[in-house]
């Protein structure tokens, strides 16, 4: 197995890489772990002291739950794995306060005050509610670690993969202009009146296009052992943290399976 990074844009939270010499079952397992199992912090409970805005308490609580929070996985435990057994302590939950009194204007996520500076809204400019003159909003929220399989507000990223395209020209192409017209990713180009493959663009090839309909010498197939992954973080964790955590969780599950299997036989 081999991994080669194609793009690592830390500012935009995007990462793409090729996973070579693997299998579809492993690729899909890795994808599901990243989306469903890697935990993040999110607001779960909200207690309102004041709210005379236009929005009901439930609507504001729903918006707060969808605010991505920077997550420190080393400092917090999942409630079900905490020593307090989910009753609530500083190791499995965090209090966040919001006070907007007599403020005319939009209340933004940046106004949420966390007791842990490391856990704060990823995007401070996210609007929560708009207050008119004389209106107020005061609340205390509780953030906890959770998993995307329970609710998407805890999911750390969007991930998808595709099979690595294999593009071949096996002979003379009679109508290269028609291939170029069909191609919308600059996979092919004409040099010396001959159709050639642009090797720098092969990975962008659209596998849904069948070039053999125009000329049987142009073949596009998909590798069944190589996969191109695209990871886009929502901001709670970096792409690197998400992938490493997913791999660690896979190792834990395999170790657990091994132990249970040994007991069974």
């Amino acid at each position: 197995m081999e991994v080669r990074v194609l793009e690592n844009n830390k500012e935009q939270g995007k990462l793409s890489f090729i996973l070579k010499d693997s299998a579809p079952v492993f690729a899909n397992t890795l994808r599901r772990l990243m989306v469903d199992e890697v935990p993040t912090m999110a607001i779960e409970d909200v207690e309102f002291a004041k709210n005379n805005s236009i929005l009901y308490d439930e609507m504001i609580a729903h918006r707060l739950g969808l605010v991505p929070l920077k997550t420190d996985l080393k400092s917090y435990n999942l409630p079900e794995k905490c020593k307090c057994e989910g009753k609530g302590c500083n190791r499995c939950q965090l209090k966040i306060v919001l006070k907007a009194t007599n403020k005319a204007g939009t209340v933004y996520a940046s106004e949420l005050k966390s007791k842990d500076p490391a856990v704060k809204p990823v995007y401070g400019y996210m609007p929560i509610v708009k207050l008119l003159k004389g209106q107020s909003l005061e609340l205390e929220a509780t953030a906890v670690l959770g998993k995307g399989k329970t609710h998407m507000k805890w999911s750390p990223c969007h991930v998808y993969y595709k099979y690595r395209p294999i593009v071949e020209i096996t002979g003379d192409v009679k109508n290269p202009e028609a291939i170029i017209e069909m191609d919308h990713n600059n996979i092919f180009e004409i040099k010396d009146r001959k159709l050639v493959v642009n090797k720098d663009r092969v990975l962008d090839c659209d596998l849904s296009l069948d070039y053999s309909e125009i000329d049987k010498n142009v073949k596009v197939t998909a590798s069944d052992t190589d996969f191109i992954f695209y990871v886009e973080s929502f901001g709670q964790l970096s792409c690197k943290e998400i992938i490493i955590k997913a791999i660690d969780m896979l190792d834990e599950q395999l170790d657990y399976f091994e132990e249970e299997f040994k007991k069974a036989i």
Side-chain angles (χ1 to χ4, degrees), residues 31-44 62-69 71 144-159 232-236:
R31 180 193 66 83
R32 291 177 64 90
L33 284 169
M34 286 191 275
V35 174
D36 295 337
E37 295 288 344
V38 174
T40 66
M41 293 288 284
I43 291 175
E44 174 70 350
H62 178 68
R63 288 188 173 192
L64 291 172
L66 296 177
V67 173
L69 301 176
T71 300
V144 298
L145 273 182
K147 296 181 179 181
K149 67 179 182 180
T150 303
H151 193 288
M152 274 302 295
K153 68 181 181 181
W154 281 300
S155 183
C157 62
H158 171 60
V159 184
E232 184 172 351
S233 170
F234 297 144
Q236 304 100 314

Side-chain angles (χ1 to χ4, degrees), residues 138-238:
E138 295 185 16
L139 57 87
E140 183 181 70
T142 303
V144 298
L145 273 182
K147 296 181 179 181
K149 67 179 182 180
T150 303
H151 193 288
M152 274 302 295
K153 68 181 181 181
W154 281 300
S155 183
C157 62
H158 171 60
V159 184
Y160 66 97
Y161 66 86
K162 69 176 184 180
Y163 294 90
R164 181 177 66 83
I166 300 174
V167 183
E168 298 176 293
I169 299 177
T170 58
D172 291 334
V173 179
K174 296 179 180 180
N175 191 359
E177 289 79 10
I179 299 293
I180 294 293
E181 184 176 352
M182 186 178 181
D183 171 29
H184 53 263
N185 284 330
N186 298 321
I187 308 302
F188 301 98
E189 56 187 5
I190 299 176
K191 289 185 177 181
D192 298 327
R193 298 181 180 180
K194 291 186 178 181
L195 187 73
V196 296
V197 178
N198 184 350
K199 295 182 180 180
D200 294 332
R201 301 285 298 179
V202 169
L203 298 181
D204 296 324
C205 182
D206 188 345
L207 292 173
S208 66
L209 298 177
D210 187 4
Y211 296 98
S212 63
E213 293 179 352
I214 298 176
D215 194 304
K216 63 180 182 180
N217 290 321
V218 180
K219 297 182 180 180
V220 175
T221 56
S223 169
D224 57 359
T225 60
D226 298 351
F227 308 89
I228 304 175
F229 272 81
Y230 299 90
V231 185
E232 184 172 351
S233 170
F234 297 144
Q236 304 100 314
L237 300 166
S238 68

Side-chain angles (χ1 to χ4, degrees), residues 86-100:
K87 296 178 181 178
C89 68
N90 292 333
R91 293 290 297 171
C92 67
Q93 63 177 223
L94 173 67
K95 297 297 182 181
I96 299 176
V97 176
L98 173 61
K99 289 185 179 181

Side-chain angles (χ1 to χ4, degrees), residues 1 11 20 25 30 39 66 104 107 196 215 234 255 257-258:
M1 186 179 294
E11 292 183 0
K20 295 183 177 182
V25 63
L30 182 60
L66 296 177
V107 179
V196 296
D215 194 304
F234 297 144
D255 290 341
F257 175 76
E258 182 182 11

